[in-house]
Amino acid sequence: MEIIQYKPDLLTSITQFYNNLTTEVPNCHSITEEEFDRALHGVSGHTDDDELEEETAYVVTQNGSVHAFVHVGFFREGDDDKDKVGVIQFLGYKRSERNAGQTVLEKAESYLKPFNVSRIIAFTKMYRYNFYGYDYTQLSEKLDHIHGLFGMNEYRRYHGQIFMEWKSFIVELPHINLPVTLSVEWKEGRGKLPNCHIKAYIDNNEVGQCDSVSCGQYSSHPDLQDWVYTHWVGVEDDYQGQGLGKYLLQYSLHEMHKVGYRHASLSTDWNNYLALLFYSNLGYRAVDWTYAYEKIISQH
């Protein structure tokens, strides 16, 4: 077993490793080498203002086969930008190859140590591969062996998202007693079907929104093109508890079904039990629980 720093001639084997690793992860579909190469843009030293600093990646190989992989870097936070936070953007290892996973995790921590990071976060929604699930996807519960590795190395969960699906959804045009008027805006995106943005008004004041996008935003895979992902439903405080949120979501789904969407998905915070209760009783079912991890290195 050998651990080496990533180099472009490993791209094919790394892409195959990632696709095999995420086969059972909901909302993840196989990707191309070109897509993975773009995700490793920062590793090659080409960074933008919103990307990590000093990115690198390590690979554990044996007999030409990839057994583990980690992508690491850091960002600055705080008023003076002096506090550095390490980021494990992605880590994976083959099941039954715990030593390989331990090796890349220790290598990532060793790499970050000279930068004096105060903590390390892993699978955060801020820094993620844009093809790994939908917005806010963190470490899937389907990758339980990676959860175990983090836990055994003093990482603790500090955030999470529940992902829910409603296959073959059917929604009748809803009714509401509030004097609501709606504006509906369609925008083209990366998916084959358009994205939808709905605003609700009462007495010319905006009181709610519902934003839904094609799941084709996250992957070019053909199976995702008739899936919609609702990433925001919001209602002003004065109008909560009156059915407006449900009305907006159902109206959005009704309109999106008319243009060709057949399946729906969304996510909510891991501890938002009210939202979980609302969505599950509407027709959605939880398919994945995902979590971000944190390890405190030093206290300031």
Side-chain angles (χ1 to χ4, degrees):
M1 187 171 68
E2 180 184 16
I3 183 166
I4 56 177
Q5 202 160 19
Y6 172 79
K7 48 189 178 181
D9 61 3
L10 290 168
L11 179 61
T12 298
S13 55
I14 287 291
T15 304
Q16 293 172 348
F17 169 79
Y18 171 86
N19 285 335
N20 290 335
L21 181 73
T22 57
T23 297
E24 297 181 359
V25 176
N27 312 320
C28 280
H29 293 77
S30 59
I31 62 166
T32 65
E33 292 181 24
E34 290 75 16
E35 288 174 304
F36 211 114
D37 190 42
R38 287 194 293 271
L40 295 171
H41 184 74
V43 173
S44 303
H46 307 289
T47 59
D48 297 326
D49 290 341
D50 59 347
E51 292 182 341
L52 297 174
E53 296 185 43
E54 303 294 340
E55 290 181 62
T56 193
Y58 294 99
V59 187
V60 172
T61 64
Q62 187 170 11
N63 299 324
S65 174
V66 173
H67 287 234
F69 168 80
V70 68
H71 183 166
V72 64
F74 70 85
F75 69 92
R76 301 171 190 266
E77 69 174 359
D79 295 336
D80 55 5
D81 288 335
K82 290 183 178 180
D83 191 15
K84 298 175 184 176
V85 179
V87 175
I88 294 176
Q89 189 163 2
F90 194 88
L91 182 150
Y93 71 96
K94 285 185 176 181
R95 289 185 184 273
S96 78
E97 297 289 342
R98 176 180 172 182
N99 288 341
Q102 185 68 36
T103 297
V104 293
L105 180 56
E106 291 178 359
K107 187 68 175 179
E109 293 182 351
S110 176
Y111 173 79
L112 291 170
K113 187 174 181 179
F115 298 111
N116 297 316
V117 298
S118 60
R119 58 194 176 101
I120 301 173
I121 55 177
F123 284 87
T124 172
K125 62 185 180 182
M126 292 189 301
Y127 295 100
R128 53 181 299 277
Y129 290 161
N130 61 8
F131 48 71
Y132 174 67
Y134 304 150
D135 272 349
Y136 315 120
T137 302
Q138 294 160 7
L139 180 57
S140 168
E141 66 173 357
K142 306 300 181 183
L143 300 175
D144 49 333
H145 62 305
I146 301 175
H147 284 277
L149 182 70
F150 280 130
M152 290 297 293
N153 283 271
E154 300 180 348
Y155 287 78
R156 296 295 177 261
R157 294 173 178 174
Y158 78 103
H159 194 270
Q161 285 278 308
I162 309 168
F163 283 81
M164 309 184 76
E165 293 180 355
W166 187 357
K167 294 183 178 180
S168 303
F169 70 88
I170 298 294
V171 178
E172 296 182 358
L173 190 62
H175 299 280
I176 191 169
N177 293 325
L178 293 172
V180 175
T181 58
L182 301 178
S183 68
V184 181
E185 182 181 10
W186 297 93
K187 288 187 177 181
E188 297 300 320
R190 292 182 59 201
K192 291 185 177 180
L193 297 174
N195 305 329
C196 184
H197 179 59
I198 297 178
K199 292 183 178 180
Y201 298 89
I202 295 179
D203 296 330
N204 295 321
N205 296 314
E206 184 179 324
V207 296
Q209 291 187 21
C210 182
D211 293 325
S212 299
V213 300
S214 166
C215 291
Q217 287 285 117
Y218 312 106
S219 172
S220 60
H221 198 282
D223 289 352
L224 283 180
Q225 301 310 310
D226 62 353
W227 279 82
V228 56
Y229 176 70
T230 299
H231 63 75
W232 174 253
V233 180
V235 174
E236 293 294 325
D237 291 345
D238 290 345
Y239 294 94
Q240 291 186 3
Q242 301 180 59
L244 182 54
K246 180 179 180 180
Y247 174 75
L248 282 170
L249 180 55
Q250 288 183 314
Y251 190 94
S252 174
L253 292 176
H254 181 267
E255 293 300 296
M256 300 193 88
H257 192 274
K258 289 196 298 186
V259 302
Y261 288 101
R262 294 297 176 261
H263 313 288
S265 58
L266 48 73
S267 68
T268 188
D269 283 350
W270 61 336
N271 56 2
N272 191 341
Y273 301 114
L274 180 60
L276 178 60
L277 189 65
F278 169 66
Y279 294 131
S280 59
N281 281 285
L282 190 63
Y284 291 87
R285 297 290 181 268
V287 296
D288 200 12
W289 298 66
T290 73
Y291 301 95
Y293 279 85
E294 178 183 49
K295 182 175 183 177
I296 303 299
I297 304 301
S298 61
Q299 301 288 342
H300 294 288

